[in-house]
Amino acid sequence: MRYGGRGVCLISAIPSRGFKATTSQTADDTLTVTFAGEDHRSVITATIVPSAKASVRETSF
């Protein structure tokens, strides 16, 4: 992911073996990338509102 003055853009999202990557961007200022496997999911959300930051949510099942 890359932060810019007007938004967040995806540079690359390459999943490890056994995982699938999906992306979601409903506005220029926020981007979500999800890596999902058989028993684990990682969700990375990057935003520039109110400042540039990313959060990661890990779920095992």
Side-chain angles (χ1 to χ4, degrees), residues 14-22 34-42 61:
I14 301 171
S16 293
R17 178 178 225 137
F19 284 81
K20 178 181 175 184
T22 58
T34 302
F35 295 96
E38 185 175 314
D39 61 357
H40 190 85
R41 179 174 41 240
S42 300
F61 35 87

Side-chain angles (χ1 to χ4, degrees), residues 18-32:
F19 284 81
K20 178 181 175 184
T22 58
T23 62
S24 173
Q25 187 165 24
T26 57
D28 289 343
D29 60 14
T30 304
L31 172 67
T32 300

Side-chain angles (χ1 to χ4, degrees), residues 6 19-20 35 45-47 53 60:
R6 298 193 301 171
F19 284 81
K20 178 181 175 184
F35 295 96
T45 302
T47 187
K53 66 179 179 177
S60 294

